[in-house]
Amino acid sequence: MNSESNSLPSSVVYLSHGGGPLPLLGDKGHRNMINIIREITRTLAKPRAILVISAHWEEGKPTITSGASPALIYDYYGFPKESYEIEYSAPGSPELANKIFNLLEKAGIDAKLDNRRGFDHGLFVPLKLMYPNANIPCVQLSLVDSLQPEEHIQIGKALADLRQENILVIGSGFSFHNLKEFFAPSTKEARSMNESFEQWLIDTCSNSQLTEAEREHRLKNWDSAPAARFCHPRAEHLLPLHVCYGVAGTAAKRVFEFEIMGKMASAYLW
């Protein structure tokens, strides 16, 4: 797609971003994830700017980073010293932040600008792998702390026009996010539940035989899927996908399956 005109709609990507800073520390359990993220990046035309919806930021209303030079937020603990020395000096974009704010308000969604908040690891970990030069302006959008799936799909729908402006939209979460299970002994039952939810998610996001009404219904009722609450005791790492689907409004063009720290995970490209 690198040869495609920038006048075509830009891409929407949902990424499973791994465990804290581990992808940037050479962790063996993240090798597949790193390779997939780099493979995805090679298919993308260079965006004018990037919007990241991070699983690691929840607010009472959709909130947008609007500072010109956001600092990094090392929102993890218990990692080696170098984890807190990671740099990613991408500029912010007050212009894009205001555009996003206005689109949300136009859709009847009460939103807020925040010119003080920095970029959390849901942004800087995947983007340091994708665009290490840190020369593309970035804006981060929060989840809403109600964690309602329909609300996040509607947020995405309100932002669909961004695709016509060569804005890359990234939902940064994790398709499997049961932290206890990463440190528990592996069992056939846990593996089966992990795989069952992944297959449901892949079918939901990529099956072109589904109508969009059917796809949206499934995503709104994701916690009825097989092993849903085993894979996601809380919804925050899945909901960036709902925003992505709202922006894209179609079946994903490509699905990427891989393991992270022994668990099956996936990423989606629209």
Side-chain angles (χ1 to χ4, degrees):
M1 288 195 297
N2 287 325
S3 62
E4 291 182 358
S5 167
N6 284 351
S7 65
L8 295 176
S10 53
S11 295
V12 178
V13 183
Y14 171 77
L15 298 175
S16 290
H17 64 223
L22 290 175
L24 304 180
L25 301 179
D27 179 69
K28 293 179 180 179
H30 287 78
R31 284 179 180 171
N32 289 340
M33 185 209 90
I34 292 168
N35 290 337
I36 290 294
I37 285 181
R38 288 176 173 160
E39 179 183 346
I40 291 170
T41 307
R42 287 192 293 270
T43 74
L44 303 176
K46 184 176 180 180
R48 180 172 68 85
I50 300 171
L51 168 62
V52 176
I53 303 96
S54 170
H56 295 280
W57 186 19
E58 300 173 27
E59 295 284 352
K61 64 180 71 173
T63 305
I64 309 126
T65 59
S66 58
S69 301
L72 297 191
I73 302 171
Y74 303 106
D75 54 336
Y76 39 69
Y77 59 91
F79 290 96
K81 180 174 179 287
E82 58 265 32
S83 306
Y84 307 93
E85 298 170 349
I86 293 168
E87 295 183 2
Y88 194 75
S89 56
S93 176
E95 176 189 2
L96 176 57
N98 278 285
K99 172 79 171 178
I100 293 167
F101 176 84
N102 290 332
L103 287 171
L104 291 170
E105 292 282 323
K106 182 179 178 182
I109 299 171
D110 191 21
K112 182 173 69 173
L113 295 167
D114 187 337
N115 64 7
R116 294 189 176 184
R117 192 184 192 275
F119 294 147
D120 63 49
H121 81 271
L123 183 147
F124 69 76
V125 167
L127 289 192
K128 196 171 178 69
L129 295 170
M130 297 175 76
Y131 301 106
N133 292 333
N135 58 1
I136 302 173
C138 296
V139 167
Q140 195 169 321
L141 172 65
S142 78
L143 299 176
V144 179
D145 58 13
S146 64
L147 301 183
Q148 294 300 311
E150 182 172 3
E151 186 172 11
H152 289 84
I153 292 172
Q154 293 305 315
I155 289 169
K157 288 181 177 180
L159 302 179
D161 284 354
L162 294 178
R163 296 191 73 192
Q164 305 302 324
E165 301 186 21
N166 195 23
I167 308 298
L168 173 60
V169 178
I170 297 176
S172 182
F174 205 151
S175 66
F176 178 90
H177 197 254
N178 183 331
L179 291 179
K180 289 183 180 179
E181 284 299 312
F182 282 109
F183 303 101
S186 180
T187 66
K188 288 184 179 179
E189 182 183 13
R191 179 80 176 189
S192 176
M193 288 192 288
N194 178 193
E195 291 178 351
S196 294
F197 182 77
E198 281 295 323
Q199 289 308 310
W200 174 89
L201 191 63
I202 289 167
D203 184 60
T204 296
C205 292
S206 65
N207 185 345
S208 61
Q209 300 304 308
L210 293 175
T211 67
E212 295 316 314
E214 289 170 333
R215 197 181 325 280
E216 185 169 331
H217 178 78
R218 283 198 190 190
L219 288 171
K220 287 177 181 177
N221 297 281
W222 71 270
D223 57 355
S224 298
R229 286 297 180 181
F230 170 78
C231 296
H232 290 278
R234 284 186 92 245
E236 82 282 359
H237 273 73
L238 188 63
L239 290 175
L241 183 147
H242 289 69
V243 181
C244 287
Y245 172 69
V247 175
T250 63
K253 293 187 297 185
R254 291 189 66 185
V255 176
F256 302 84
E257 301 177 69
F258 47 97
E259 281 197 9
I260 300 178
M261 298 171 65
K263 303 299 180 184
M264 296 304 300
S266 50
Y268 301 87
L269 171 64
W270 288 267

